[in-house]
Amino acid sequence: MSSNERIIQTILATWVKFALPSFFLFLPFFIYGDAIGRYLVPISFLLLFFPVIQNKWKILIISFSLFVLLSDLAARSNIIKFIVPFIFSVLYYFRLFLSVKFFELIRLLLCLLPICLFYTGITGIFNVFKIDEYIGEEFTTTSIEVGEKVEQNLKVDTRTFLYIEVLSSALKNDYYWFGRTPARGNESASFGSIALEELKTGKMERFSNEVSILNIFTWTGVIGVVLYFFIFYHSSYLAINKSNNFIIKIIGLCVTFRWAYAWVEDFSLFDLSNIFLWIMIGMCYSVRFRAMSDNDITIWIRGVFDKRYHFIPKIDYDKSVRNNAPLY
C-alpha cells in the first residue's frame, strides 16, 4: 500500500480535506498537550515536501507546525519530530551543492549513532539521557496533563530506568536472543502493578514502553532488533543511492532519523506516527517513487492539495536509470 503513489496521495488528500478542518472541532474538548502533535503527524510528513509545495499551503503547514511547537514545550518528542523534517527539507534548496556522498555520510551517522550511545551508556562512559549531569542550568516549562497545568523539567531522565528494567528482565528470563513475542512484556517494578492488580494477569509486566526499540527487543530479541535495523538501513540506502529525485533522498534521511529516535521514544502503537513511518519506508522501497524526477514528485505532492494536479506522472524507467544508478 505505501509503495502505491495513488493510494498515498488519496490518503493525504482525504486527511487534508476532512481531518485537518475537524482539528478545530476537537481541539476545545479532546485534544491537548502532546495529543496535538499526534493528531497533526501528517503535517510533519508534508514538511518533507515543503520546498515544492505551493506558497499558500506552505503558510498553512508552517502555521500548524508552529502551533504544535508552541502549544506544549514539554512535549519534547513532538517538537523534535516536527523540527527535524523541516531541517531536512531545507536541504532541497542546496541540492545543486550536495552530493550523494554527503547524504550517505549523514545516513550512516544516524544509523550508527544510537548503537554507539547505547554502548557508552551501558559501559558508564556517557549517558545521553542524564543530560542534567552535564548541563547545570535549569530548563522547565508548564504543560497540561488531564486538564491541569503541571511544571516539568525538560532535562529530566525518563529513559534510563526503562532500559535497566527491560535489559534486566531479558537477562533474568533468558529471552534476549529471540524475545518473548508481543504476547508478553518485560518485568517492571515501576509499571507492572497495573497488569498484576488491575488486569489480573498474575505477572508484574509492562506490555509496551515509550521507547520503540525496547519493545522490539522484548518481543523479538537481539535477532529481531538486527532485522528491524536492516529494514531501515536498506530502505534508506535505496532512497539515497538509487533514487532519481531529491525529495526521496530527504525522506531516506528522515527514515534513518526515525531509526535513531526509536532508541529515545517512538510508541509501538497503531497510530498516525507509525503509519506515516511505514509510508516513508514504503516510498523508499518503491521503484516508482524512486524513478520519479523532481518535477514528477512536485506534481504528485501538489495533487494532495489541488485536483488539477491529481494525477500520477508517467514514469520513464529507462530515462531514470540512465540519469541515476539502477533502481534495483
Side-chain angles (χ1 to χ4, degrees):
M1 184 274 289
S2 60
S3 62
N4 187 306
E5 65 274 25
R6 190 176 299 278
I7 291 177
I8 299 175
Q9 188 184 65
T10 301
I11 290 172
L12 285 167
T14 303
W15 187 89
V16 168
K17 184 176 181 180
F18 297 105
L20 191 57
S22 299
F23 173 75
F24 297 102
L25 298 177
F26 299 141
L27 184 61
F29 308 104
F30 308 111
I31 305 177
Y32 54 84
D34 65 350
I36 294 173
R38 294 180 183 279
Y39 188 99
L40 295 174
V41 161
I43 295 293
S44 68
F45 175 76
L46 292 172
L47 280 170
L48 295 167
F49 301 85
F50 184 79
V52 298
I53 292 175
Q54 294 161 301
N55 289 335
K56 63 179 181 180
W57 292 106
K58 284 182 180 179
I59 295 172
L60 182 76
I61 291 171
I62 286 295
S63 299
F64 275 103
S65 299
L66 288 175
F67 184 73
V68 172
L69 299 182
L70 299 176
S71 60
D72 188 0
L73 293 176
R76 295 171 291 184
S77 185
N78 284 339
I79 293 174
I80 293 171
K81 285 184 178 180
F82 274 76
I83 289 179
V84 170
F86 179 74
I87 292 174
F88 285 156
S89 73
V90 172
L91 296 176
Y92 186 88
Y93 296 108
F94 304 96
R95 61 191 182 280
L96 298 179
F97 309 101
L98 300 177
S99 65
V100 171
K101 290 183 178 179
F102 169 81
F103 277 86
E104 187 66 5
L105 176 62
I106 301 299
R107 183 183 78 89
L108 293 176
L109 286 175
L110 287 171
C111 284
L112 297 176
L113 180 62
I115 300 173
C116 294
L117 289 177
F118 176 72
Y119 173 78
T120 61
I122 61 175
T123 55
I125 299 172
F126 171 73
N127 185 346
V128 68
F129 298 125
K130 292 186 178 295
I131 198 67
D132 58 321
E133 295 182 357
Y134 310 101
I135 301 177
E137 188 176 350
E138 290 293 328
F139 292 93
T140 60
T141 187
T142 301
S143 64
I144 299 177
E145 295 184 4
V146 198
E148 296 183 0
K149 289 186 177 181
V150 178
E151 187 173 275
Q152 292 193 7
N153 181 5
L154 296 178
K155 298 191 303 177
V156 65
D157 177 12
T158 59
R159 295 294 178 263
T160 299
F161 81 99
L162 293 179
Y163 273 86
I164 292 173
E165 287 192 339
V166 169
L167 294 175
S168 299
S169 176
L171 292 172
K172 175 183 176 182
N173 296 284
D174 194 27
Y175 61 79
Y176 47 88
W177 282 116
F178 297 100
R180 57 191 343 189
T181 80
R184 296 287 298 276
N186 62 279
E187 291 184 2
S188 173
S190 304
F191 303 99
S193 59
I194 297 175
L196 180 66
E197 299 170 4
E198 297 183 20
L199 300 180
K200 308 297 183 183
T201 62
K203 300 179 178 66
M204 284 280 291
E205 294 178 0
R206 193 184 192 197
F207 299 109
S208 179
N209 288 281
E210 295 86 346
V211 182
S212 176
I213 203 67
L214 293 182
N215 298 325
I216 301 299
F217 172 72
T218 298
W219 299 335
T220 62
V222 173
I223 301 299
V225 170
V226 172
L227 295 175
Y228 190 68
F229 165 74
F230 278 113
I231 292 174
F232 288 81
Y233 183 88
H234 189 56
S235 63
S236 60
Y237 171 82
L238 290 175
I240 289 171
N241 295 277
K242 307 291 185 180
S243 63
N244 197 42
N245 66 83
F246 204 83
I247 294 294
I248 293 298
K249 298 182 192 297
I250 291 173
I251 291 175
L253 283 186
C254 197
V255 167
T256 55
F257 158 71
R258 290 294 296 270
W259 154 256
Y261 200 64
W263 294 69
V264 180
E265 177 177 315
D266 228 352
F267 289 89
S268 303
L269 301 172
F270 184 68
D271 60 3
L272 285 173
S273 181
N274 251 324
I275 289 172
F276 276 89
L277 167 60
W278 291 100
I279 283 177
M280 289 192 296
I281 291 174
M283 292 174 71
C284 292
Y285 276 112
S286 170
V287 174
R288 284 189 60 85
F289 271 114
R290 289 187 283 114
M292 287 184 183
S293 65
D294 286 326
N295 186 58
D296 292 333
I297 205 79
T298 298
I299 293 172
W300 179 82
I301 194 62
R302 290 185 177 184
V304 170
F305 307 99
D306 193 332
K307 289 183 178 180
R308 291 178 300 173
Y309 296 93
H310 205 146
F311 66 93
I312 303 301
K314 292 183 179 180
I315 309 301
D316 185 344
Y317 291 99
D318 292 334
K319 181 180 179 181
S320 297
V321 172
R322 287 197 300 271
N323 291 344
N324 208 316
L327 298 171
Y328 293 97

